[in-house]
């Protein structure tokens, strides 16, 4: 696993959650993910092109995303609804943007599409590209979430 | 800064429109309106006179940079201050926005203080 690719996504995630939601997440050990089952209840996916082609996804469990969005809005969110799904799309967009900024400084220019969001217990996230799927687990006070990065080339 | 100014917040994500409007309300603005992409923003501009546009870059149908170019090309709207608030943080994007006539540029994620500072820079 290339730390030059993984670290910008870890840094971006910490920055986005710290700035927009005042949440400090702790990072677990990145691993190669073999199956397609999402590690949570709601996923944001965004396509990347440029220095390499692929997708990144961010999957939150209910506890983590309700806390994150509650902090972002300044009011308690209690249900995984369309507002939460919309927020996951925007969080994915921001994480992608911050990571691409750091990757640009390393000479890798990426362009991003508009994110999509998938919800449901046990939903699947299938990255079409053939590259290795690197999963980065995070823990927050109220739950966990995972970033998957799948880039080919 | 005139807190009674009419502001149009343009973003395809309701989350971001809500966060921006919350921040603008905290600053003291009250006349806040929203649109979910560039084309609906242009329709809104035709309906009413605005004092500030705050827009995202990446949006379906009509992007923020296309909206900015359309605004600057219009005799009627060309002088409206335009704050870009976007996840697009790469140098090329900032240069493109400056060339298109953006008034200022905020990279997501942002704090309320950063939005406030940028508005002070625009309005003096």
């Amino acid at each position: 696993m290339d730390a030059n690719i993984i670290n910008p996504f870890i840094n971006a995630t910490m920055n986005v959650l710290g700035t927009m939601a005042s949440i400090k997440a702790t990072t677990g050990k990145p691993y190669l993910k073999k199956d397609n089952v999402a590690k949570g209840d709601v996923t944001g996916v965004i396509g990347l092109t440029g220095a390499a082609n692929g997708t990144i996804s961010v999957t939150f469990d209910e506890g983590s995303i309700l806390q994150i969005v509650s902090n972002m809005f300044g009011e308690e969110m209690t249900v995984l609804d369309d507002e939460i799904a919309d927020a996951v799309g925007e969080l994915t967009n921001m994480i992608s943007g911050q990571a691409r900024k750091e990757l640009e400084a390393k000479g890798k220019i990426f362009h991003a599409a508009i994110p999509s969001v998938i919800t449901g217990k046990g939903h699947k996230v299938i990255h079409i590209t053939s590259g290795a799927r690197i999963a980065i687990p995070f823990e927050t006070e109220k739950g966990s979430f995972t970033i998957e990065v799948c880039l080919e080339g | 800064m005139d807190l009674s100014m009419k502001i149009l917040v343009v973003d395809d994500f309701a989350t971001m429109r809500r966060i921006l409007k919350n921040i603008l309300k905290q600053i003291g603005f009250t006349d806040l309106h929203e649109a979910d992409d560039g084309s609906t923003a242009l329709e809104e501009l035709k309906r009413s006179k605005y004092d500030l546009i705050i827009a995202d870059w990446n949006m379906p149908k009509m992007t923020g940079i296309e909206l900015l170019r359309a605004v600057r090309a219009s005799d009627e709207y060309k002088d409206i201050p335009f704050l870009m608030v976007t996840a697009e943080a790469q140098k090329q994007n900032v240069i493109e926005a400056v060339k298109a006539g953006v008034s200022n540029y905020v990279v997501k994620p942002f704090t309320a203080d950063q939005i406030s500072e940028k508005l002070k820079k625009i309005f003096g």
Side-chain angles (χ1 to χ4, degrees):
Chain A
M1 283 180 275
D2 185 352
N4 284 322
I5 294 291
I6 297 169
N7 287 343
F9 287 95
I10 295 175
N11 296 339
T13 303
M14 304 296 246
N15 183 12
V16 168
L17 293 184
T19 307
M20 300 302 294
S22 303
I23 282 179
K24 188 168 170 36
T26 54
T27 315
K29 191 175 182 338
Y31 60 95
L32 284 172
K33 190 163 181 279
K34 302 290 187 189
D35 64 61
N36 294 321
V37 180
K39 302 272 187 192
D41 306 303
V42 54
T43 297
V45 187
I46 196 163
L48 298 177
T49 56
N53 295 333
T55 46
I56 66 158
S57 64
V58 192
T59 301
F60 298 89
D61 72 3
E62 186 172 344
S64 67
I65 195 59
L66 289 178
Q67 183 193 20
I68 289 164
V69 181
S70 295
N71 286 13
M72 285 167 70
F73 287 165
E75 62 184 85
E76 190 178 0
M77 307 298 285
T78 56
V79 184
L80 284 183
D81 57 10
D82 289 348
E83 285 186 305
I84 299 292
D86 186 278
V88 168
E90 183 60 68
L91 284 164
T92 308
N93 188 38
M94 284 190 276
I95 291 168
S96 153
Q98 280 295 297
R100 285 184 289 121
K101 182 184 176 188
E102 190 173 332
L103 287 163
E104 181 192 33
K106 297 174 191 291
K108 294 178 188 296
I109 308 281
F110 284 93
H111 304 285
I114 290 172
S116 301
V117 177
I118 311 157
T119 61
K121 299 275 181 197
H123 66 271
K124 291 184 176 177
V125 180
I126 300 169
H127 300 269
I128 302 298
T129 44
S130 59
R133 193 184 319 156
I134 300 162
I136 310 160
F138 292 83
E139 285 292 331
T140 69
E141 187 189 350
K142 299 280 179 68
S144 63
F145 65 94
T146 305
I147 291 186
E148 294 179 23
V149 181
C150 185
L151 296 171
E152 65 182 1
Chain B
M1 212 160 37
D2 178 7
L3 294 176
S4 67
M5 74 171 75
K6 189 167 187 168
I7 302 175
L8 182 59
V9 176
V10 190
D11 200 303
D12 52 328
F13 283 100
T15 297
M16 191 47 62
R17 298 197 300 269
R18 183 167 172 174
I19 289 169
L20 283 167
K21 285 171 75 178
N22 281 348
I23 289 172
L24 293 167
K25 281 179 197 165
Q26 281 170 25
I27 294 170
F29 295 105
T30 54
D31 200 359
L32 307 174
H33 303 263
E34 54 185 83
D36 61 6
D37 88 315
S39 57
T40 50
L42 278 179
E43 287 171 21
E44 189 57 37
L45 288 172
K46 283 177 197 161
R47 270 197 290 271
S48 187
K49 186 180 178 303
Y50 281 88
D51 304 301
L52 170 66
I53 300 166
I54 300 178
D56 184 23
W57 185 304
N58 266 332
M59 294 181 286
K61 290 194 278 187
M62 187 182 200
T63 66
I65 193 77
E66 289 166 344
L67 172 64
L68 172 60
R69 291 193 182 113
V71 165
R72 292 294 179 251
S74 155
D75 284 341
E76 202 174 343
Y77 318 131
K78 66 182 179 190
D79 295 326
I80 301 176
F82 194 115
L83 177 64
M84 188 79 83
V85 180
T86 172
E88 297 304 317
Q90 296 180 104
K91 281 178 197 158
Q92 189 187 335
N93 296 106
V94 180
I95 291 166
E96 197 176 340
V98 170
K99 280 183 180 168
V102 78
S103 308
N104 220 314
Y105 198 99
V106 176
V107 173
K108 299 173 185 174
F110 52 80
T111 62
D113 286 346
Q114 284 170 321
I115 296 290
S116 184
E117 283 303 311
K118 296 288 183 178
L119 292 179
K120 280 177 190 161
K121 281 184 182 169
I122 292 173
F123 292 102

